[in-house]
Amino acid sequence: MTREEVFGGLKEVIAIIRPHTDLAKVSFDSQLVRDLGIDSLTMMLLALAAEEKFAVRFPDGQPLPKTVGEVCDAIVALKG
């Protein structure tokens, strides 16, 4: 699975958990907190929804991603 494919799927997840997000403005460089307004609870929802969508499991104890691109890269790495 490519980074671009993951990005498309991740935007679908973002649309569900943050329905008022302008997806046209979401890029790999979008900051989760600053640009998308994702707080700690929404971060957990994002992680759970992404795990389900991409059939991956994020390891516990890892630093939280700061950008959409970091989330995409983590998913691509987990998909191996």
Side-chain angles (χ1 to χ4, degrees), residues 9-61:
L10 192 59
K11 283 174 59 172
E12 293 172 10
V13 170
I14 292 168
I16 293 167
I17 64 167
R18 298 281 303 169
H20 301 294
T21 302
D22 182 357
L23 295 178
K25 293 183 179 178
V26 176
S27 70
F28 287 112
D29 296 325
S30 295
Q31 297 282 322
L32 297 173
V33 175
R34 186 187 67 210
D35 299 332
L36 302 181
I38 293 180
D39 58 20
S40 58
L41 176 59
T42 309
M43 184 71 79
M44 292 302 299
L45 294 173
L46 175 66
L48 292 171
E51 285 180 340
E52 185 174 318
K53 177 157 189 74
F54 297 104
V56 296
R57 173 89 168 102
F58 293 113
D60 294 330

